[in-house]
Amino acid sequence: MTSPPPNWTLERRIPSDPDVCAKVIEPLVDALENFGWAAREVFGIRMAMEEAIVNAIRHGNQCSPNKSVQIAIKVDDQEFLATITDQGDGFDPKQVPDPTDDENLECDSGRGLVLIKNYADEVTYNQSGNSVTLKKSKP
Amino acid sequence: MDQYECIETDKVEDVAVVKFVDERMMDAARIEQLGGELMDAVSGDDKDRVVINFENVSFFSSAAVSKLLVAEKRIRSQGGQLRLSNLRPEVRDVFNLTKLDSVFKIEEEQSDAIESLQ
Protein backbone atom coordinates (compact mmCIF):
# COMPACT_ATOMS: atom_id res chain seq x y z
CA MET A 1 0.00 0.00 0.00
CA THR A 2 1.44 3.37 -1.01
CA SER A 3 1.20 6.27 1.41
CA PRO A 4 -0.53 9.45 0.18
CA PRO A 5 1.73 12.30 -0.95
CA PRO A 6 2.69 14.60 1.96
CA ASN A 7 1.29 17.67 0.27
CA TRP A 8 -0.41 18.99 -2.85
CA THR A 9 0.99 21.94 -4.75
CA LEU A 10 -0.11 23.92 -7.75
CA GLU A 11 1.70 26.70 -9.57
CA ARG A 12 -0.10 28.27 -12.47
CA ARG A 13 -0.12 31.48 -14.47
CA ILE A 14 -3.66 32.29 -15.62
CA PRO A 15 -4.95 34.95 -18.03
CA SER A 16 -6.91 37.96 -16.75
CA ASP A 17 -10.24 36.22 -17.19
CA PRO A 18 -12.40 35.62 -14.10
CA ASP A 19 -13.95 32.59 -15.74
CA VAL A 20 -10.60 30.78 -15.51
CA CYS A 21 -10.86 30.88 -11.70
CA ALA A 22 -12.67 27.56 -11.56
CA LYS A 23 -9.76 25.77 -13.23
CA VAL A 24 -7.61 26.59 -10.21
CA ILE A 25 -10.23 26.34 -7.50
CA GLU A 26 -11.81 23.00 -8.41
CA PRO A 27 -8.54 20.99 -8.07
CA LEU A 28 -7.78 22.91 -4.86
CA VAL A 29 -11.14 21.85 -3.41
CA ASP A 30 -10.43 18.24 -4.39
CA ALA A 31 -7.04 18.44 -2.66
CA LEU A 32 -8.51 19.92 0.54
CA GLU A 33 -11.14 17.20 0.66
CA ASN A 34 -8.51 14.51 0.07
CA PHE A 35 -6.56 15.85 3.05
CA GLY A 36 -9.65 15.68 5.22
CA TRP A 37 -10.54 19.37 5.53
CA ALA A 38 -14.13 19.89 6.74
CA ALA A 39 -16.77 21.21 4.35
CA ARG A 40 -17.08 24.53 6.17
CA GLU A 41 -13.32 25.12 5.98
CA VAL A 42 -13.31 24.20 2.30
CA PHE A 43 -16.13 26.70 1.72
CA GLY A 44 -14.10 29.47 3.40
CA ILE A 45 -10.91 28.72 1.48
CA ARG A 46 -12.84 28.55 -1.80
CA MET A 47 -14.42 31.91 -1.00
CA ALA A 48 -11.11 33.56 -0.04
CA MET A 49 -9.35 32.22 -3.14
CA GLU A 50 -12.15 33.19 -5.51
CA GLU A 51 -12.27 36.73 -4.11
CA ALA A 52 -8.45 37.10 -4.16
CA ILE A 53 -8.13 35.86 -7.75
CA VAL A 54 -11.03 37.98 -9.00
CA ASN A 55 -9.53 41.03 -7.26
CA ALA A 56 -6.16 40.34 -8.94
CA ILE A 57 -7.80 40.05 -12.36
CA ARG A 58 -10.30 42.91 -12.10
CA HIS A 59 -8.61 45.48 -9.86
CA GLY A 60 -4.97 44.46 -10.28
CA ASN A 61 -4.72 43.65 -13.96
CA GLN A 62 -7.84 45.64 -14.95
CA CYS A 63 -8.84 42.54 -16.97
CA SER A 64 -6.02 43.32 -19.42
CA PRO A 65 -5.46 40.45 -21.88
CA ASN A 66 -1.75 41.38 -21.83
CA LYS A 67 -1.43 40.67 -18.11
CA SER A 68 -1.62 37.44 -16.15
CA VAL A 69 -2.00 36.27 -12.56
CA GLN A 70 0.53 33.95 -10.92
CA ILE A 71 -0.93 31.52 -8.40
CA ALA A 72 1.01 29.23 -6.06
CA ILE A 73 -0.82 26.92 -3.64
CA LYS A 74 0.35 24.36 -1.11
CA VAL A 75 -2.03 22.18 0.88
CA ASP A 76 -1.50 19.37 3.34
CA ASP A 77 -3.45 17.89 6.22
CA GLN A 78 -2.43 20.77 8.51
CA GLU A 79 -2.21 23.94 6.47
CA PHE A 80 -3.36 25.80 3.37
CA LEU A 81 -1.02 28.41 1.88
CA ALA A 82 -1.54 30.40 -1.33
CA THR A 83 0.06 33.40 -2.99
CA ILE A 84 -1.73 35.32 -5.74
CA THR A 85 0.30 37.88 -7.66
CA ASP A 86 -0.99 40.19 -10.37
CA GLN A 87 0.83 42.51 -12.77
CA GLY A 88 -0.94 45.68 -11.71
CA ASP A 89 0.35 48.70 -9.80
CA GLY A 90 -0.71 47.27 -6.45
CA PHE A 91 -2.89 48.84 -3.80
CA ASP A 92 -2.92 49.68 -0.12
CA PRO A 93 -5.64 47.58 1.54
CA LYS A 94 -5.81 50.15 4.37
CA GLN A 95 -7.10 52.72 1.85
CA VAL A 96 -10.09 50.61 0.79
CA PRO A 97 -13.26 51.86 2.54
CA ASP A 98 -14.63 49.35 5.04
CA PRO A 99 -17.82 47.99 3.44
CA THR A 100 -19.11 46.96 6.86
CA ASP A 101 -19.31 50.60 7.99
CA ASP A 102 -22.94 51.70 8.01
CA GLU A 103 -22.41 54.36 5.33
CA ASN A 104 -20.69 51.86 2.98
CA LEU A 105 -22.94 48.86 3.47
CA GLU A 106 -24.50 49.12 0.04
CA CYS A 107 -21.31 50.07 -1.80
CA ASP A 108 -19.84 47.58 -4.24
CA SER A 109 -16.18 47.66 -3.33
CA GLY A 110 -14.21 46.04 -0.54
CA ARG A 111 -16.60 43.23 0.33
CA GLY A 112 -14.24 40.66 -1.17
CA LEU A 113 -11.42 41.88 1.11
CA VAL A 114 -13.65 41.47 4.16
CA LEU A 115 -14.44 37.89 3.17
CA ILE A 116 -10.76 37.08 2.50
CA LYS A 117 -9.79 38.48 5.91
CA ASN A 118 -12.48 36.50 7.68
CA TYR A 119 -11.93 33.17 5.97
CA ALA A 120 -8.12 33.11 6.11
CA ASP A 121 -6.15 33.03 9.38
CA GLU A 122 -3.43 35.28 7.98
CA VAL A 123 -3.55 37.68 5.03
CA THR A 124 -0.34 39.45 4.07
CA TYR A 125 0.37 41.77 1.16
CA ASN A 126 3.76 42.47 -0.35
CA GLN A 127 5.12 46.01 -0.15
CA SER A 128 3.83 47.09 -3.55
CA GLY A 129 0.41 45.57 -2.88
CA ASN A 130 0.17 43.41 -6.00
CA SER A 131 0.67 40.10 -4.22
CA VAL A 132 -1.35 38.58 -1.41
CA THR A 133 -0.56 35.50 0.66
CA LEU A 134 -3.35 33.61 2.41
CA LYS A 135 -2.73 31.11 5.17
CA LYS A 136 -5.10 28.90 7.09
CA SER A 137 -4.47 26.13 9.56
CA LYS A 138 -6.74 23.15 9.85
CA PRO A 139 -8.69 23.44 13.12
CA MET B 1 -37.80 38.60 -20.72
CA ASP B 2 -40.02 35.64 -19.97
CA GLN B 3 -37.57 32.77 -20.04
CA TYR B 4 -34.69 32.80 -17.57
CA GLU B 5 -31.63 30.59 -17.44
CA CYS B 6 -30.20 31.49 -14.01
CA ILE B 7 -33.39 31.76 -11.99
CA GLU B 8 -36.81 30.16 -11.64
CA THR B 9 -39.79 32.33 -10.80
CA ASP B 10 -43.10 31.48 -9.20
CA LYS B 11 -45.97 33.20 -7.46
CA VAL B 12 -47.08 31.94 -4.05
CA GLU B 13 -49.94 33.66 -2.23
CA ASP B 14 -49.39 36.74 -4.44
CA VAL B 15 -45.73 36.88 -3.47
CA ALA B 16 -43.12 36.61 -6.23
CA VAL B 17 -40.69 33.78 -5.42
CA VAL B 18 -37.30 33.56 -7.10
CA LYS B 19 -34.98 30.55 -6.89
CA PHE B 20 -31.48 30.21 -8.26
CA VAL B 21 -30.75 27.49 -10.79
CA ASP B 22 -27.00 27.26 -10.13
CA GLU B 23 -25.68 25.66 -6.98
CA ARG B 24 -22.49 27.73 -7.10
CA MET B 25 -22.48 31.38 -8.09
CA MET B 26 -18.89 31.63 -9.30
CA ASP B 27 -18.69 32.09 -13.05
CA ALA B 28 -18.30 35.80 -13.84
CA ALA B 29 -20.35 35.76 -17.03
CA ARG B 30 -23.07 33.76 -15.33
CA ILE B 31 -23.20 36.24 -12.44
CA GLU B 32 -23.64 39.09 -14.93
CA GLN B 33 -26.48 37.19 -16.55
CA LEU B 34 -27.96 36.48 -13.13
CA GLY B 35 -27.92 40.20 -12.36
CA GLY B 36 -29.87 41.03 -15.51
CA GLU B 37 -32.41 38.29 -14.96
CA LEU B 38 -32.91 39.23 -11.30
CA MET B 39 -33.52 42.86 -12.22
CA ASP B 40 -36.06 41.83 -14.83
CA ALA B 41 -37.80 39.43 -12.47
CA VAL B 42 -38.21 41.95 -9.64
CA SER B 43 -39.13 44.95 -11.76
CA GLY B 44 -42.75 46.02 -12.13
CA ASP B 45 -45.59 47.35 -10.05
CA ASP B 46 -46.83 43.83 -9.32
CA LYS B 47 -43.48 42.93 -7.70
CA ASP B 48 -44.11 44.65 -4.40
CA ARG B 49 -43.39 41.50 -2.36
CA VAL B 50 -40.52 39.26 -3.34
CA VAL B 51 -38.88 36.23 -1.72
CA ILE B 52 -35.53 34.99 -2.98
CA ASN B 53 -35.13 31.36 -1.96
CA PHE B 54 -31.52 30.11 -1.63
CA GLU B 55 -32.33 26.41 -1.18
CA ASN B 56 -30.26 25.41 -4.23
CA VAL B 57 -27.26 27.58 -3.39
CA SER B 58 -24.08 26.24 -1.79
CA PHE B 59 -21.72 29.06 -2.79
CA PHE B 60 -22.41 32.78 -3.24
CA SER B 61 -19.53 35.16 -4.06
CA SER B 62 -19.31 38.88 -3.31
CA ALA B 63 -19.95 39.59 -7.00
CA ALA B 64 -23.25 37.72 -6.74
CA VAL B 65 -24.06 39.59 -3.51
CA SER B 66 -23.62 42.87 -5.43
CA LYS B 67 -26.28 41.76 -7.95
CA LEU B 68 -28.59 40.98 -5.07
CA LEU B 69 -28.04 44.45 -3.62
CA VAL B 70 -29.01 46.05 -6.94
CA ALA B 71 -32.20 43.98 -7.04
CA GLU B 72 -32.99 44.93 -3.43
CA LYS B 73 -32.61 48.62 -4.27
CA ARG B 74 -34.95 48.22 -7.24
CA ILE B 75 -37.61 46.52 -5.10
CA ARG B 76 -37.26 49.21 -2.43
CA SER B 77 -37.53 51.99 -5.05
CA GLN B 78 -40.83 50.44 -6.18
CA GLY B 79 -42.08 50.59 -2.59
CA GLY B 80 -41.77 46.83 -2.29
CA GLN B 81 -40.26 44.45 0.21
CA LEU B 82 -37.75 41.63 -0.16
CA ARG B 83 -37.06 38.61 2.00
CA LEU B 84 -34.33 36.00 1.63
CA SER B 85 -34.93 32.44 2.78
CA ASN B 86 -33.44 28.95 2.99
CA LEU B 87 -29.81 30.06 3.32
CA ARG B 88 -27.35 27.33 4.28
CA PRO B 89 -25.30 28.28 7.35
CA GLU B 90 -22.13 28.91 5.34
CA VAL B 91 -23.98 31.10 2.83
CA ARG B 92 -25.63 32.98 5.66
CA ASP B 93 -22.13 33.57 7.08
CA VAL B 94 -21.32 35.60 3.94
CA PHE B 95 -24.17 37.99 4.79
CA ASN B 96 -23.24 38.09 8.47
CA LEU B 97 -19.54 38.74 7.87
CA THR B 98 -20.27 41.59 5.46
CA LYS B 99 -22.99 42.92 7.79
CA LEU B 100 -25.49 42.67 4.96
CA ASP B 101 -27.77 40.81 7.34
CA SER B 102 -28.74 44.33 8.41
CA VAL B 103 -29.70 45.25 4.83
CA PHE B 104 -31.50 42.05 3.87
CA LYS B 105 -34.29 40.55 5.96
CA ILE B 106 -33.51 36.85 6.19
CA GLU B 107 -36.02 34.15 7.18
CA GLU B 108 -35.38 30.46 7.79
CA GLU B 109 -37.94 29.00 5.41
CA GLN B 110 -39.80 30.25 2.36
CA SER B 111 -43.11 29.89 4.22
CA ASP B 112 -41.77 32.15 7.02
CA ALA B 113 -40.68 34.71 4.44
CA ILE B 114 -44.08 34.70 2.71
CA GLU B 115 -45.89 34.95 6.03
CA SER B 116 -43.75 37.93 7.04
CA LEU B 117 -44.86 39.73 3.88
CA GLN B 118 -48.60 39.21 4.44
Side-chain angles (χ1 to χ4, degrees):
Chain A
M1 196 170 118
T2 57
S3 55
N7 59 50
W8 176 88
T9 61
L10 180 143
E11 287 204 26
R12 191 162 293 175
R13 185 173 289 280
I14 64 167
S16 296
D17 176 0
D19 290 341
V20 181
C21 236
K23 289 181 181 165
V24 173
I25 291 176
E26 293 305 331
L28 165 63
V29 167
D30 287 344
L32 290 163
E33 287 172 350
N34 289 339
F35 279 110
W37 288 69
R40 201 151 181 156
E41 304 301 324
V42 174
F43 177 93
I45 291 172
R46 179 197 279 269
M47 177 68 79
M49 282 296 287
E50 150 120 5
E51 298 292 346
I53 296 171
V54 168
N55 278 351
I57 291 170
R58 289 224 172 113
H59 303 298
N61 288 351
Q62 308 281 317
C63 293
S64 166
N66 301 320
K67 292 179 177 173
S68 58
V69 174
Q70 178 71 33
I71 299 167
I73 310 171
K74 185 179 169 192
V75 172
D76 59 28
D77 60 359
Q78 297 296 318
E79 191 177 78
F80 155 80
L81 184 69
T83 299
I84 297 110
T85 306
D86 62 59
Q87 297 181 313
D89 295 333
F91 79 113
D92 179 356
K94 293 190 191 79
Q95 300 301 316
V96 178
D98 183 349
T100 64
D101 284 348
D102 283 349
E103 65 271 24
N104 299 330
L105 271 180
E106 295 182 28
C107 292
D108 245 3
S109 64
R111 207 166 288 119
L113 295 183
V114 169
L115 293 171
I116 292 167
K117 196 173 153 191
N118 275 281
Y119 285 119
D121 293 338
E122 286 178 42
V123 182
T124 50
Y125 294 87
N126 67 350
Q127 201 163 14
S128 56
N130 72 332
S131 182
V132 61
T133 297
L134 313 180
K135 191 172 168 183
K136 187 172 183 65
S137 297
K138 197 169 158 191
Chain B
M1 197 193 300
D2 296 315
Q3 295 293 321
Y4 300 121
E5 286 182 22
C6 301
I7 56 174
E8 294 168 357
T9 56
D10 197 2
K11 198 101 175 171
V12 181
E13 296 176 34
D14 283 334
V15 174
V17 175
V18 177
K19 288 184 182 176
F20 298 106
V21 171
D22 295 346
E23 188 191 345
R24 291 173 181 162
M25 297 290 166
M26 287 183 68
D27 180 282
R30 191 79 172 167
I31 290 172
E32 279 307 309
Q33 185 179 351
L34 169 74
E37 291 186 8
L38 259 183
M39 280 299 279
D40 187 77
V42 304
S43 298
D45 291 341
D46 59 332
K47 307 288 168 50
D48 58 337
R49 291 175 294 163
V50 180
V51 172
I52 298 182
N53 181 326
F54 278 67
E55 69 179 2
N56 299 329
V57 178
S58 67
F59 187 86
F60 210 75
S61 71
S62 72
V65 169
S66 293
K67 301 301 178 194
L68 208 60
L69 271 170
V70 175
E72 192 274 340
K73 280 180 195 165
R74 169 61 64 90
I75 294 167
R76 213 185 325 149
S77 73
Q78 295 167 178
Q81 297 181 76
L82 171 67
R83 299 286 186 272
L84 309 183
S85 75
N86 300 77
L87 279 75
R88 297 181 194 195
E90 57 270 33
V91 174
R92 179 147 189 163
D93 280 349
V94 173
F95 289 85
N96 296 347
L97 292 170
T98 53
K99 295 200 179 163
L100 287 176
D101 53 344
S102 64
V103 174
F104 294 101
K105 292 192 170 125
I106 301 174
E107 301 286 349
E108 284 296 316
E109 300 291 334
Q110 179 178 305
S111 55
D112 303 328
I114 289 170
E115 194 181 326
S116 76
L117 290 170
Q118 300 298 333

